[in-house]
Amino acid sequence: MKNVLIVDDHPVTRFAIKLLVEKQNMSVIAEDNDGLRALLLVKNLQPDLLIIDIDIPSLNGIDVVQRIRHQDFHTAILILSGKDSEHYLRRCAAAGADGFISKRKDLTALADALTALRRGYGYFPSSRSRRLMMVDAHNSVQDKMASLSAREIDVMRYLAQGLKIVDIAKAMKVSDKTISTYKCRMMEKLELKNMIDLYDFTQRHNLD
C-alpha cells in the first residue's frame, strides 16, 4: 500500500493528513474536496488507499464508498468524520469502509489506522467492534491458509511472483492441468476472484 488519495473539504485537515501519510513512507497522489470527483479520481488513479471525510460536497463520503464497492474497486478506504458515534461507525463499515476515525479525537490515530490497514485489518477505534473485527480478520486469514494443501500454497506463491501456469508446472514437475486444478481450489478456498485479488492478498499478509 503506497499511493493515497485524500478527499476532505478542509484544506488544513488535508495538509495534516498528508504530513502523517508521508511519515509512513506513503505518497499522496491526489487531493480533492468533492465526492463526485473522488469517484473519478479512484477510477483514473486506482489508489491503494482512499482517505475520505463523510461531509463533503456533491456526494457524501459514505455514498462514495458504496459506489466504489459496487464498481468492484479494491482500494482500501478509511473514513474520517466529525461525528463520533456507533451509528456512523456501523454505517461506514456496512458501506464497505475498512476503517473509521473521528476528528473529535484529533488525527493521532491515523498512524495506527494506516498500520492496521496495511496488515489487512479493519480499524474502528474506541469501539468493541474494532477489537472483534481485528480478531475476526486475523482468524479468518489463518483459517483460510490452514485449509490449503502444501501444493496449493506453492502454486499461490508462484502465481504471486508472476509465473505462468506452464512454468509452474515445469518447476513442480506436474502437468499444466494439475496446476490449474490447484489454482482453482486455492482461489476458491481463499475466496479470491482474480489474479489482482491474489496479488493483493499475498502482499497484505506477506505471503509472497
Side-chain angles (χ1 to χ4, degrees):
M1 187 182 292
K2 296 180 180 179
N3 299 322
V4 182
L5 167 62
I6 301 172
V7 181
D8 193 296
D9 59 347
H10 293 91
V12 174
T13 300
R14 290 201 307 270
F15 180 71
I17 294 170
K18 182 177 181 179
L19 290 179
L20 288 168
V21 165
E22 290 176 343
K23 283 184 179 180
Q24 296 288 315
N25 296 318
M26 302 169 74
S27 300
V28 176
I29 55 175
E31 301 177 32
D32 213 300
N33 61 3
D34 180 88
L36 288 176
R37 286 199 297 270
L39 290 174
L40 291 175
L41 287 169
V42 169
K43 180 179 179 180
N44 294 332
L45 300 178
Q46 300 281 309
D48 300 314
L49 172 65
L50 167 63
I51 301 176
I52 187 168
D53 186 25
I54 289 181
D55 297 313
I56 52 177
S58 298
L59 195 66
N60 72 60
I62 293 176
D63 288 339
V64 170
V65 173
Q66 289 176 326
R67 294 195 185 191
I68 288 172
R69 293 311 187 212
H70 286 159
Q71 294 171 9
D72 204 29
F73 289 115
H74 301 291
T75 298
I77 302 174
L78 177 64
I79 291 184
L80 306 178
S81 177
K83 302 175 174 64
D84 185 13
S85 72
E86 289 291 321
H87 169 70
Y88 283 100
L89 184 151
R90 288 194 296 269
R91 285 188 61 194
C92 292
D98 299 291
F100 176 93
I101 293 179
S102 172
K103 291 181 180 179
R104 292 183 182 182
K105 299 177 181 177
D106 68 46
L107 294 176
T108 55
L110 180 57
D112 291 337
L114 293 176
T115 298
L117 266 58
R118 292 169 85 169
R119 293 178 178 175
Y121 297 121
Y123 189 85
F124 296 89
S126 301
S127 168
R128 179 173 177 271
S129 61
R130 172 184 176 254
R131 296 191 298 272
L132 293 176
M133 290 178 72
M134 289 184 70
V135 170
D136 287 346
H138 180 67
N139 289 343
S140 176
V141 171
Q142 285 191 325
D143 290 343
K144 288 176 180 178
M145 289 301 298
S147 71
L148 299 181
S149 69
R151 290 298 227 176
E152 289 165 351
I153 291 174
D154 287 340
V155 170
M156 176 192 70
R157 287 184 168 138
Y158 278 131
L159 289 170
Q161 292 168 15
L163 272 68
K164 297 179 180 178
I165 286 179
V166 61
D167 296 322
I168 299 173
K170 290 179 181 178
M172 295 178 63
K173 299 180 180 179
V174 295
S175 68
D176 297 0
K177 184 177 180 180
T178 298
I179 297 300
S180 295
T181 299
Y182 286 145
K183 176 186 174 183
C184 289
R185 289 176 181 170
M186 176 268 297
M187 297 286 281
E188 183 178 351
K189 290 177 181 179
L190 297 180
E191 299 179 359
L192 305 175
K193 296 179 181 178
N194 51 49
M195 288 303 300
I196 295 176
D197 286 352
L198 175 63
Y199 181 76
D200 288 343
F201 181 85
T202 56
Q203 289 291 303
R204 283 201 311 270
H205 304 295
N206 298 315
L207 299 172
D208 56 337

